[in-house]
Amino acid sequence: MDIIKLNFKVFCCWKRRFKLRMAEPPQELKNVFVNYSHNGTMTIDDLRSFLVRYQGETNATREDAQAIFDSLKHLNIFQRRGLHLEAFVRYLLGDLNIPLSSSLGVHHDMNAPLAHYFIYTGHNSYLTGNQINSACSADPIAKALQRGVRVIELDLWPNSNGKNVEVRHGGALSMTSPVELDKCLVAIKENAFLASEYPVVITFEDHLTPSLQSNVAKLVTKIFGDMLYKTGSEYLTEFPSPECLKRKVLISTKPPKEYLESHRRRERSEEWEAEMDEEEIPEKTEEDYEAQTSKKQEQAEGREHDPDEDEDKTTQEYRHLIAIHAGKTKGELLDWLKDDPRKVRRLSLSEQELENATRKHGSAVVRFTQRNLLRIFPKGTRFDSSNYCPFIGWMHGAQMVAFNMQGHGKHLWAMQGMFKANGGCGYVKKPDFLLDRGPSNEVFNPSEALPVKTVLRVKIYLGEGWHVDFHHADFDRYSPPDFFARVGISGAPADQRMERTLAIEDEWLPVWNQDFGFPLTVPELAVLRIEVLEYDTTKRPDFAGQTCLPVSELKTGIRAVPLHDRKGDKYKHARLLMRFGFETPFCY
């Protein structure tokens, strides 16, 4: 690496000059190079031996090693006879040595029913910011699909004159500006299959009159045409597979009759709540708030809702759009989770309802999700578009853990990490233990203690690239940064743990050389979370990059780990050099 000079003003009158050189490789890396080289030079055959024996790439060929040589030829440090130590370290930090295999592509079995997959799912996909007063737009829909999101949610409302349909967030406190439905649908059509060929599901939260439902049916059919999947029968006994639904768009919502019944139940519930003390009133769900707002809006505009009249006028066009029927059955929570062998459906629960269900009926949730789809959405008080821990849902088999994609934070990073698996196609096959049944028809019980299956060993050697991706004063105005790293597991409750390195003072090229061990009871769902921060004695540490990686697809050996910004976009240069390995859990 060329020497780079960075100037820092001190006390507004002096300048401190720091020379940035390539970090000295830790002794462990030097030893690895010595073991796989001869007389200070690593030949193509030596490099292939390193790939097979140390990196665990058992299928590596001489051509693979030659490709690595070719990628380094433009560097002044490259020698024709082979790689010396500096060139070897350059390869280790390069884009050909990342921790997830790009050559694997989609490698899960994609021929099982949809219910057998976790699906990358958005919540209120049209919002650009918070849930109260941010603008609605088709842009976040397009961005979500380009990232691989496969489930888009649209809230459908009559516009101000009641003649057209608009997309906006409802609720008593919402002041979001609407966007036209056709713009959202066109954005979906144009971006649906850029990142993945596997199906896109559009979930409608429907607050429309029958005549507007008919308009929606015509518009959806016109825009999507042959892309639209229609079942040919009112109910499915089993969901189709992602493979047979490639490049198809599916509509999921409550059938009109069930929507009207739920509307009536809410009205009866409101009458009952009026007789209760305030403390006894159960928390409303997202749908309840929006339905109540819809009712008030209709009354204010002089359009009283007549359910019987609506039911008579409901068109078959709208019902025939629905590929995935949604809705709750009559009764209590346990009744909602009953599996009807005659048909499959989608059930939506808030994050609080999920927590309640998993505390009381964990195995029933798992059993329901073996055939049916379960969608989880954020609680209504997340006005800032924050998110919740997705692993509670995933541990119980919930396929559609719906997230606000326009925000950032550790939960969204973990979601992004999970769906880097399986080629980033937006569908991740559930582990077998969530799908299996025992000899007495029993299913997995998430509340039972599980043994440790494996131990993930992680070593953080060093980092580089911040001096290119950041301004020299982004962290400390008067001196180089003091970087430290946090590394840990997001996953099953027993597996969650975070560790941190020491802070390396005044160094753009920190060398930590620290290792950690993480015992895992459910490695299939574990996500390795990595974050780099800059230590500050006077305030919260400054953000310097993050990434999350699915443990199930980690390549062993020494790997270059690119870092991402808060939104999940990859930095061009900032990265870590790390080592990954798995051990038998003898002592756990």
Side-chain angles (χ1 to χ4, degrees):
M1 180 187 295
D2 296 334
I3 293 176
I4 299 172
K5 297 179 180 179
L6 300 175
N7 294 329
F8 294 83
K9 291 183 179 180
V10 181
F11 302 121
C12 302
C13 57
W14 298 97
K15 286 186 178 181
R16 294 174 65 186
R17 174 169 290 181
F18 298 91
K19 294 183 178 180
L20 186 62
R21 297 178 174 85
M22 183 174 180
E24 180 72 14
Q27 187 60 46
E28 183 177 324
L29 295 185
K30 295 179 181 179
N31 294 341
V32 170
F33 178 77
V34 169
N35 291 339
Y36 289 92
S37 63
H38 297 84
N39 300 320
T41 301
M42 180 179 282
T43 66
I44 288 177
D45 290 327
D46 293 334
L47 180 56
R48 179 183 176 275
S49 179
F50 166 76
L51 295 174
V52 172
R53 295 169 57 192
Y54 194 92
Q55 300 287 77
E57 299 179 25
T58 55
N59 296 322
T61 63
R62 203 171 187 275
E63 287 71 27
D64 295 328
Q66 181 65 60
I68 294 170
F69 265 57
D70 294 342
S71 72
L72 299 169
K73 284 183 177 179
H74 68 285
L75 301 177
N76 294 330
I77 57 177
F78 179 77
Q79 296 179 350
R80 289 185 179 181
R81 292 178 300 168
L83 308 181
H84 54 66
L85 177 61
E86 189 175 355
F88 176 64
V89 174
R90 279 290 93 204
Y91 151 65
L92 291 178
L93 279 163
D95 291 336
L96 294 181
N97 189 40
I98 56 178
L100 302 180
S101 177
S102 57
S103 63
L104 277 179
V106 177
H107 56 280
H108 294 181
D109 174 15
M110 303 301 286
N111 291 295
L114 283 180
H116 290 204
Y117 300 85
F118 299 125
I119 310 174
Y120 205 175
T121 302
H123 172 255
N124 291 349
S125 305
Y126 48 85
L127 284 179
T128 57
N130 66 57
Q131 307 284 309
I132 301 298
N133 59 5
S134 66
C136 301
S137 170
D139 291 341
I141 296 172
K143 290 176 182 177
L145 291 167
Q146 291 162 15
R147 285 184 179 272
V149 172
R150 299 290 86 191
V151 182
I152 298 295
E153 181 187 25
L154 301 178
D155 288 330
L156 308 184
W157 295 83
N159 69 354
S160 57
N161 62 23
K163 294 180 180 179
N164 288 306
V165 178
E166 63 187 20
V167 175
R168 62 177 172 83
H169 188 218
L173 300 178
S174 179
M175 297 176 287
T176 58
S177 58
V179 60
E180 293 88 346
L181 173 60
D182 60 340
K183 290 184 178 179
C184 297
L185 298 179
V186 169
I188 293 172
K189 179 180 180 180
E190 292 177 347
N191 295 276
F193 305 113
L194 298 181
S196 169
E197 287 190 311
Y198 289 95
V200 167
V201 179
I202 306 174
T203 62
F204 286 158
E205 287 291 341
D206 176 1
H207 308 274
L208 304 176
T209 61
S211 61
L212 289 179
Q213 288 176 344
S214 178
N215 292 346
V216 169
K218 291 182 176 69
L219 185 63
V220 168
T221 303
K222 177 183 176 182
I223 289 176
F224 291 113
D226 292 340
M227 295 170 63
L228 196 62
Y229 176 79
K230 296 183 179 180
T231 62
S233 59
E234 186 167 3
Y235 291 104
L236 295 171
T237 56
E238 183 179 70
F239 287 118
S241 71
E243 188 66 30
C244 76
L245 292 172
K246 269 186 173 180
R247 304 190 71 84
K248 290 293 184 181
V249 173
L250 290 77
I251 303 298
S252 178
T253 188
K254 292 179 181 179
K257 183 178 179 180
E258 294 175 28
Y259 174 76
L260 293 167
E261 287 176 352
S262 67
H263 185 96
R264 292 168 184 158
R265 286 199 299 270
R266 277 192 292 267
E267 288 182 331
R268 288 194 296 268
S269 177
E270 289 169 11
E271 294 172 0
W272 172 68
E273 286 175 6
E275 300 175 1
M276 297 176 63
D277 293 333
E278 185 175 343
E279 293 181 358
E280 297 175 332
I281 297 175
E283 184 171 1
K284 288 185 173 67
T285 67
E286 181 183 47
E287 294 174 344
D288 293 332
Y289 280 118
E290 293 186 347
Q292 190 175 43
T293 304
S294 178
K295 181 182 176 184
K296 290 178 180 178
Q297 180 183 17
E298 288 169 349
Q299 291 172 343
E301 295 174 1
R303 296 193 309 273
E304 287 292 339
H305 192 194
D306 185 341
D308 294 325
E309 181 183 349
D310 285 349
E311 191 168 353
D312 292 338
K313 293 180 180 178
T314 296
T315 66
Q316 291 300 312
E317 298 169 283
Y318 191 74
R319 181 178 289 273
H320 289 163
L321 281 184
I322 304 171
I324 300 175
H325 286 236
K328 293 173 181 173
T329 58
K330 295 179 180 179
E332 302 300 324
L333 177 59
L334 195 56
D335 298 306
W336 303 345
L337 294 170
K338 287 181 179 177
D339 177 26
D340 185 344
R342 299 168 300 174
K343 59 184 179 181
V344 290
R345 60 190 171 94
R346 172 175 68 84
L347 171 67
S348 286
L349 298 177
S350 69
E351 59 178 287
Q352 305 105 308
E353 288 175 320
L354 174 69
E355 290 176 7
N356 185 37
T358 57
R359 279 196 304 267
K360 298 178 179 179
H361 313 293
S363 293
V365 177
V366 173
R367 188 183 303 277
F368 178 83
T369 59
Q370 289 182 340
R371 294 186 65 245
N372 302 278
L373 298 177
L374 177 58
R375 173 182 171 268
I376 311 301
F377 59 87
K379 60 185 178 183
T381 54
R382 292 190 180 275
F383 303 129
D384 59 352
S385 294
S386 61
N387 289 300
Y388 52 100
C389 178
F391 292 94
I392 298 174
W394 288 336
M395 275 289 288
H396 290 79
Q399 299 87 350
M400 297 179 175
V401 178
F403 262 36
N404 296 306
M405 299 295 172
Q406 69 272 34
H408 56 77
K410 64 180 183 180
H411 296 314
L412 182 55
W413 298 340
M415 171 75 69
Q416 292 168 345
M418 169 66 87
F419 286 100
K420 289 176 184 174
N422 199 25
C425 74
Y427 286 80
V428 174
K429 187 78 160 55
K430 288 201 238 178
D432 289 341
F433 67 80
L434 287 172
L435 300 170
D436 291 341
R437 297 202 180 189
S440 300
N441 207 33
E442 68 271 18
V443 298
F444 171 69
N445 184 356
S447 63
E448 288 185 356
L450 300 172
V452 174
K453 290 183 179 179
T454 188
V455 178
L456 172 64
R457 302 296 310 186
V458 177
K459 185 158 191 174
I460 306 180
Y461 291 113
L462 53 86
E464 68 164 22
W466 291 282
H467 69 281
V468 183
D469 291 328
F470 293 80
H471 188 270
H472 68 79
D474 278 348
F475 302 112
D476 193 324
R477 186 178 297 274
Y478 305 119
S479 66
D482 309 326
F483 288 128
F484 67 94
R486 299 180 71 235
V487 59
I489 296 294
S490 292
D495 298 343
Q496 294 181 9
R497 191 171 115 227
M498 292 296 292
E499 300 285 356
R500 59 163 288 176
T501 68
L502 300 174
I504 307 299
E505 296 184 1
D506 293 341
E507 185 57 74
W508 282 96
L509 297 170
V511 177
W512 294 287
N513 208 32
Q514 290 183 245
D515 65 325
F516 307 94
F518 300 98
L520 301 176
T521 60
V522 190
E524 300 92 336
L525 298 183
V527 171
L528 179 66
R529 194 173 138 228
I530 303 162
E531 189 175 4
V532 179
L533 301 164
E534 200 271 336
Y535 180 75
D536 196 310
T537 57
T538 61
K539 56 185 178 69
R540 292 183 63 181
D542 295 316
F543 177 83
Q546 61 82 25
T547 193
C548 286
L549 303 168
V551 169
S552 62
E553 298 203 2
L554 274 181
K555 293 162 68 175
T556 58
I558 302 169
R559 302 293 172 183
V561 180
L563 296 176
H564 299 70
D565 64 17
R566 284 187 173 92
K567 293 184 178 180
D569 296 322
K570 188 172 73 171
Y571 291 120
K572 290 184 178 179
H573 303 92
R575 60 190 56 208
L576 303 176
L577 190 63
M578 305 178 69
R579 189 189 71 213
F580 307 112
F582 294 93
E583 295 179 353
T584 304
F586 290 116
C587 54
Y588 293 92

